């Protein structure tokens, strides 16, 4: 969606450059402004269509966060940006933390705020790097090192 808006903005600005011979600095500002305007218009359009269809049902709202988490990305429900995982640092921008974010969108506490693959990978890593096994392997390395130096 953003891509399309950006494309539109680019085209509009390109048109201006062709017609009015805008400098590249001016074009940058123009592009930014055009994009912002298009985004605002788009948001207005979206909220307008929402109003026409009535408010989303409870079910649709609870489905919202499910849709925000996909295999490779999680979409921030506040700003629509996508991440591999939704960090506390990012949520702070919206005056939220993970707990507040979950509460706001009805996300269960057990749901990790990261893409499905990131969550799976973390689980896999946690399984692989068990603290006691790690300690054992470190001891193993130390032993081999000791042997190696003994040979010398
Ligand atoms: Zn955000």
């Amino acid at each position: 969606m953003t891509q399309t808006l950006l494309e539109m903005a680019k085209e509009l600005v390109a048109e201006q450059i062709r017609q009015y011979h805008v400098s590249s600095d001016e074009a940058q500002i123009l592009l930014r402004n055009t994009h912002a305007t298009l985004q605002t218009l788009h948001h207005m359009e979206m909220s307008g269509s929402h109003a026409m269809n009535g408010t989303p049902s409870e079910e649709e709202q609870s489905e919202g966060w499910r849709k925000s988490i996909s295999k490779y990305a999680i979409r921030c429900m506040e700003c629509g940006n996508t991440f591999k995982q939704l960090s506390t640092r990012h949520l702070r921008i919206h005056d939220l933390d993970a707990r507040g974010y979950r509460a706001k969108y009805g996300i269960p506490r057990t749901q990790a705020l990261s893409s499905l693959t990131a969550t799976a990978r973390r689980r896999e890593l946690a399984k692989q790097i068990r603290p006691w096994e790690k300690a054992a392997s470190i001891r193993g390395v130390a032993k081999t090192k000791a042997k190696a130096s003994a040979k010398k």
Side-chain angles (χ1 to χ4, degrees):
M1 231 177 277
T2 318
Q3 191 58 40
T4 336
L5 284 178
L6 192 61
E7 292 298 331
M8 278 169 75
K10 268 191 208 157
E11 268 185 37
L12 285 169
V13 173
E15 188 60 36
Q16 302 250 8
I17 293 168
R18 274 196 295 272
Q19 284 194 358
Y20 305 110
H21 305 285
V22 188
S23 77
S24 68
D25 276 1
E26 283 173 310
Q28 285 244 329
I29 297 161
L30 207 58
L31 178 60
R32 218 173 294 151
N33 288 347
T34 313
H35 184 238
T37 311
L38 284 171
Q39 252 181 339
T40 315
L41 285 172
H42 177 72
H43 277 298
M44 276 163 64
E45 206 175 87
M46 292 299 279
S47 53
S49 67
H50 254 304
M52 270 191 282
N53 297 335
T55 49
S57 70
E58 192 105 326
E59 202 177 316
E60 271 175 82
Q61 269 185 334
S62 74
E63 279 303 295
W65 71 262
R66 272 181 220 280
K67 278 181 199 152
S68 79
I69 297 168
S70 65
K71 201 167 173 194
Y72 298 109
I74 175 164
R75 183 163 39 81
C76 173
M77 309 261 288
E78 289 286 318
C79 63
N81 283 318
T82 50
F83 306 91
K84 272 198 183 126
Q85 60 169 25
L86 209 48
S87 65
T88 314
R89 210 169 110 216
H90 175 78
L91 287 172
R92 217 178 289 152
I93 300 172
H94 308 303
D95 265 330
L96 285 167
D97 53 17
R99 227 178 92 202
Y101 182 81
R102 283 192 178 94
K104 186 166 178 182
Y105 294 103
I107 304 168
R109 250 188 303 168
T110 48
Q111 176 62 51
L113 295 179
S114 55
S115 72
L116 297 178
T117 42
T119 309
R121 196 159 357 130
R122 225 183 356 256
R123 256 182 220 147
E124 203 51 45
L125 277 175
K127 235 187 278 169
Q128 278 172 20
I129 314 168
R130 293 194 179 99
W132 58 93
E133 281 177 12
K134 202 176 172 187
S137 77
I138 286 168
R139 271 201 297 277
V141 169
K143 231 184 259 171
T144 349
K145 266 193 191 159
K147 246 187 229 167
S149 54
K151 261 184 204 168
K152 276 181 203 165

